[in-house]
Amino acid sequence: MLKTAILAALCVFICFGGNWLWGQTMIERPLVVGLVTGLVFGDVREGVMMGAALGAVDIGGALSAEPVTATVLATTFSIILNVNTKAALALAVPIGVFAAFISMFLKNIVMNVFAPLVDKVAATNNQKGLVRLHFGMWFLNYFLFSLVTFFSVLAGAKPVQQLVNEIPKNLMAGLSATGGLLPAVGFAILMRMLWSKQLSPYYFLGFILAAYMKLPSVAVAAVGIIIVVIQWMRDKQLMALENNQKELAAGEVKNHIDNQNNESEQEEEDFFS
Amino acid sequence: MLKTAILAALCVFICFGGNWLWGQTMIERPLVVGLVTGLVFGDVREGVMMGAALGAVDIGGALSAEPVTATVLATTFSIILNVNTKAALALAVPIGVFAAFISMFLKNIVMNVFAPLVDKVAATNNQKGLVRLHFGMWFLNYFLFSLVTFFSVLAGAKPVQQLVNEIPKNLMAGLSATGGLLPAVGFAILMRMLWSKQLSPYYFLGFILAAYMKLPSVAVAAVGIIIVVIQWMRDKQLMALENNQKELAAGEVKNHIDNQNNESEQEEEDFFS
Amino acid sequence: MLKTAILAALCVFICFGGNWLWGQTMIERPLVVGLVTGLVFGDVREGVMMGAALGAVDIGGALSAEPVTATVLATTFSIILNVNTKAALALAVPIGVFAAFISMFLKNIVMNVFAPLVDKVAATNNQKGLVRLHFGMWFLNYFLFSLVTFFSVLAGAKPVQQLVNEIPKNLMAGLSATGGLLPAVGFAILMRMLWSKQLSPYYFLGFILAAYMKLPSVAVAAVGIIIVVIQWMRDKQLMALENNQKELAAGEVKNHIDNQNNESEQEEEDFFS
Amino acid sequence: MKFTKNVSPDDRKMLNSIFWRSFTVFASRAGATKAHAPGFMYSILPAIDRYYKNDPKGQTEALERETTWYNITQNVGTFVMGLVASMEKKNSQDPDFDANSIVALKTSLMGPLSGIGDSIFWGVLRVIAAGIGISLASQGSVLGPILFLVIYNVPSILTRYYLTYIGFTLGDTFIEDMYESGSMKLLNKAASTLGLMMIGSMTATMVTFKSTLAIPIAGGKPIEIQTYLDQLWQGLVPLAVTLGCYWLLSKKVNVNWILLGVLALAIVLGLVGIV
Amino acid sequence: MKFTKNVSPDDRKMLNSIFWRSFTVFASRAGATKAHAPGFMYSILPAIDRYYKNDPKGQTEALERETTWYNITQNVGTFVMGLVASMEKKNSQDPDFDANSIVALKTSLMGPLSGIGDSIFWGVLRVIAAGIGISLASQGSVLGPILFLVIYNVPSILTRYYLTYIGFTLGDTFIEDMYESGSMKLLNKAASTLGLMMIGSMTATMVTFKSTLAIPIAGGKPIEIQTYLDQLWQGLVPLAVTLGCYWLLSKKVNVNWILLGVLALAIVLGLVGIV
Amino acid sequence: MKFTKNVSPDDRKMLNSIFWRSFTVFASRAGATKAHAPGFMYSILPAIDRYYKNDPKGQTEALERETTWYNITQNVGTFVMGLVASMEKKNSQDPDFDANSIVALKTSLMGPLSGIGDSIFWGVLRVIAAGIGISLASQGSVLGPILFLVIYNVPSILTRYYLTYIGFTLGDTFIEDMYESGSMKLLNKAASTLGLMMIGSMTATMVTFKSTLAIPIAGGKPIEIQTYLDQLWQGLVPLAVTLGCYWLLSKKVNVNWILLGVLALAIVLGLVGIV
Ligand SMILES: OC[C@H]1O[C@H](O)[C@@H](O)[C@@H](O)[C@@H]1O
Ligand SMILES: OC[C@H]1O[C@H](O)[C@@H](O)[C@@H](O)[C@@H]1O
Ligand SMILES: OC[C@H]1O[C@H](O)[C@@H](O)[C@@H](O)[C@@H]1O
């Protein structure tokens, strides 16, 4: 069983890791995963059909299971244990649900430990370090993730399910909640860079438009652009006034007076119509 | 049957055309159409009751059939063919649905061919031409429309229904879609007259208020007026500043200085409170 | 029965009046009212349990009956008439609905007669009068209200219900409507104090945000604050410009010129970023 | 009525003429792009002829201004006619008047006035009249249709009449005030702002497009394209088509070609099964 | 608490007095137009007497300012009382202070503070307390009502107390800052803007009107008038009545006549079957 | 394509390099706070190295700018990469350039571009490809997965390629224009305004919190706390946590402590049964 477990984990690593390493080319969709697993275990037809079955269920992301793990496990069980499609799915999908949680947990929480390193390579302009970090994180994440499949095959489906059921519900809920709250830190960092007392109202405006008026982000952006354009024209008008004033104050009145008058008249034409 | 067909078409022409020629006085409502058709075919009571029957169905525009055609046909069938109300309605209403489409098609699409003529009479200040065009379009539109009723009576209800069913669905869908898209051209013409780079954001604001915030047009207008009033006061304030500046630049400082100060103080009072 | 009626009315007066006299401490909740009535009539256990029964129904204000009256009556009936809980509730709750209306009517409409007196004590700085008025209104209101309970117990539940049913529906509807419309006068008085032509658009903006965009008042306030902050900064910018202009006009140019330039540059920095 | 009293006999003659002509405003319909423009032009002719008496160029320009899309519940549309008359008057007297504001104001009034007008006349009044009429008619009485017509038309025609005068009088005072305070430039900006907002909102509600295309999924429910279009941007196609037309117009493309293009586009979309 | 420490003994005495009086704020209710104004006046008296000690005119003016409609969840209303006290202090010291901002600020705080206050106290806290209380009481235990009262009142009264101080302290600092930066004019504009927006939103939600009139249609379902009113303008009647009252007030019509008028209007509408 | 033609050979080399690197943009994920920042940094390196050739300080600063949260549908994210490249170019040439606008612009583009990108690529294109692929595969044909990959990837990769160039070219022109009209200050204000609005909207939609706490009522239905939280303020907890983090950051608290704090908070909330 060890060889089977390693091969299955490899399939997950290739399809899932490969998809995100290289352009999200969709080699993580059940259709493709089924094909790959079929090739590895020597039954392409079975693999492709299992992929089609899971793919039809998952269209539009309807499945709450992580589809790569689910497909690999279902295909493996079906080819190796020789059970039929239905039974293989019934064994694989619950583990896929657990895998979805693990994936979220790895990406959002475990990988947080590398966040300081990102700042460090940037602060030291350590470009080689950046490359190593980037791909190192990739490897670690998907390697760890493949272990779910590895142990599932090794231990057999049933015991794994039991184990999963024993994790306290409260703990799981808390871990899930971290994923919802952690982006706050990222946004706070962005705010540090953009915030100014003058502009802070716009942060809350964006919040209200999304939270209360239920506008999707394209519409918030459109409203934002409208505001920004109107603001811009007003600012330009005021800048012109200020500059005129400075010139007046500087006593350059005599020379520029005619030009200025014409100019500001023109501007007025622009702004008030 | 020819005489009957001509009389029925005449009823449609009088009621439908007459309604729109003269003040939408509602002589196109089933109630009135029934009376007129009853008078023409010599059975006022039957006409009035048929009108009441159809009128009760159509209140609030619940009917997708064009009511004039439906009422005239139903009344005609009932008086001439001597069938009962139910049967007459069953024959007439489907043709009325077709007539509704023809009416939309004539008004929105066929009549488009006259749009250039409208521009032409305007460009040449040809007022007689305008009058002729106005009433000519009226006659043509409602004359053509009456033909639906004419042929329906002449050919009998059944064959007409069959003919209608044979029009390809895709073509009908396409023709319907033109009605939805053509107003775009009308709005584009209006935009040509009002558009300016400065004010363009407000076009999109109006769009978003209607499309995303689902405001009805009275509410969009109210928001618009609010914006316009606020903008106006700001603009006035800035104009006052600009004018002061110009006077300063022109060296008229000495004479007006006191008045200005008082004035601008007063304005300030106004604007900042 | 007179003694019982007086005692029951006293319970209402103590619980309802007491609650509003002193800090809305919730001694008007069925739970507490039941306890008090139980104490008065010598069966604490029955009172507490009746309170619990009514309290569970009324959680979140689900009951359209006025809870104090309903609880007192139900407890009284149950202890004195010795009927069971269900029956006591069936008798008491309808009278409670009527009492809710009476309470609304007293507070919103009858008490309006004292509104001019409030203005009068203020206009004459009659502080003692204010105190007397404040507590006098309290006493009158809750005394009158207790009479509902008094007469209900005295007359017995049935006849009271009949009486209530005989009030014309139209009159009741009209009286109810007054409660909905009278706050208009209060708001109009507030508007008199805040209204200015310049700011009137914001009144309508608030209306639209609540009526059309369905924003709750916290969100309207948030939008208001956002607007006010943005407006404030613009106003400050314009005030600076105006002040500079006045100084220029006053010929103070020479002395302050350098400082001003620096200052306005700084301001610009502030406002345009 | 106060509004009808302060009007000079000549203006009164003109307004009455506009009132009568307004009955025919919806007689013709010049397609989806101009709607009832000819009817509006016909109705407003008395004003044009009066204020640009010996000025054919003025008449031409005024007529050309009015060739744009027009559609307002006709019983309240006379308000706009009166208003436009008062603005044309000002325009004929003052070379500085910005004639564009006439179109801007007219345009910004269409949506709200029709919303109100249709509610009152088609919603409430007609339904009341029909309710009474049908009750009588269903017993075969001729009184049914007759009462229906009377109940509906008396208030309608009175409204139509007085609004002609109110539009004219209000417009006159308002525009005079603007002039005296020297705010014509601001008036034009305000009218254009409002006009553009209303065209924007009409683009969203009156230019319509709905794709019926659905991609069938083997073993699943079909994917409806319209859902994704709405997710991208509500009313994407109407907005794109309107802006496209505007862009073509600003490139001096003949409007007839644009019309034909939109027609062809819609039919092709139909034939290939997208709508 | 930091907020209670930096207050002078005299202010502390005054604030404590306001705190205690605030318990009676809702004792009286002067009808729908003033609501709890007398309670507010009674509560704020210690501040008025303190800051306008030998100035009966100042006292009168201050009292008159506070006769307007007042209604805030009482446990958080003390925040406003503290704030008003700090503004009256400033007003008594500085002749340039714009006393209107006191009303403006008070008004703009009512809606949001009650929204928050009612949610927390009536929504959450009371429900928690009742849940626990009912569980015990349904077994006949006197502990039920007692625990209910304790759980509810301890946090409520603490909130009431500290907010009195917080309102006063915050207000003091804030207003001092405004003064130093010379922005009092802007503060008044801001408070009035916000106040008007909140009155507008309260007009929409708290002035209510619903016609139950329905026109029966022979052979169809009845037409409900309210539907068409909403189509015309949401909250048309409340807005019209409010603006009407405002207009009458600005024409110096006595407020009692207006009240009577609204009363009569509502009853007549009821009698003729419109509401 | 016009957009790829007007680019100098050196820029072309750089853009191609960015294009290829962009395939790995989502390879790593540095937790919920930085998301795909390292991938973005790796992809943009060619531009940084080119424009700050002998300027390690410039390189460092540029890299540090890019360490913030990054997440855009990757097929359209190259547009932003091109744009950032053009802005880094300007920044390297002009000491007055406000480098903050780079972050501002990038941030403001994330939400809308992902909204559009996800709809088109994950919504429409992938679903079409899967529909066709599954039909074939369910009969056991290897053509199923292959066609699926081809149909999906050809348009995706073309989009990715051209958007790299379009972002660069558009950005270049736009920024040049701003410079000439002397509006850089305004550009920065505009970008920051937009950026803050988008972060505000992302706070509302992407920071999530839902309490499952419910108070059971003896003899009634349970009271759900989340309902009252929403009544207080929609998204109260996400907003409070975000502002809290911001406040801590501005107090120079180390970001790692903040991260830990949020983690601990969430887990504790879970353990005590609030979420
Ligand atoms: O909506 C305004 C107007 O549009 C069209 O002209 C017709 O439907 C009228 O009945 C309606 O009043
Ligand atoms: O809404 C504020 C306030 O209004 C009234 O006074 C009562 O309903 C209180 O319970 C409530 O707190
Ligand atoms: O939403 C943008 C982006 O977010 C994540 O990176 C993934 O879910 C991608 O598939 C998606 O395109």
Side-chain angles (χ1 to χ4, degrees), chain F residues 88-147:
Chain F
E88 291 291 358
K89 179 179 169 189
K90 197 74 202 169
N91 189 46
S92 71
Q93 292 163 352
D94 191 313
D96 288 349
F97 190 94
D98 189 335
N100 257 348
S101 19
I102 301 176
V103 181
L105 219 64
K106 191 172 80 167
T107 304
S108 61
L109 285 169
M110 286 183 198
L113 282 190
S114 297
I116 294 173
D118 285 359
S119 286
I120 291 182
F121 289 102
W122 309 155
V124 180
L125 185 58
R126 188 169 68 179
V127 166
I128 294 176
I132 295 169
I134 290 172
S135 299
L136 289 166
S138 61
Q139 295 140 30
S141 162
V142 191
L143 223 71
I146 291 172
L147 255 182

Side-chain angles (χ1 to χ4, degrees), chain A residues 20 24, chain F residues 26 36 71-73 114 118 122:
Chain A
W20 293 95
Q24 245 181 321
Chain F
F26 288 170
H36 302 302
N71 192 23
I72 305 180
T73 321
S114 297
D118 285 359
W122 309 155

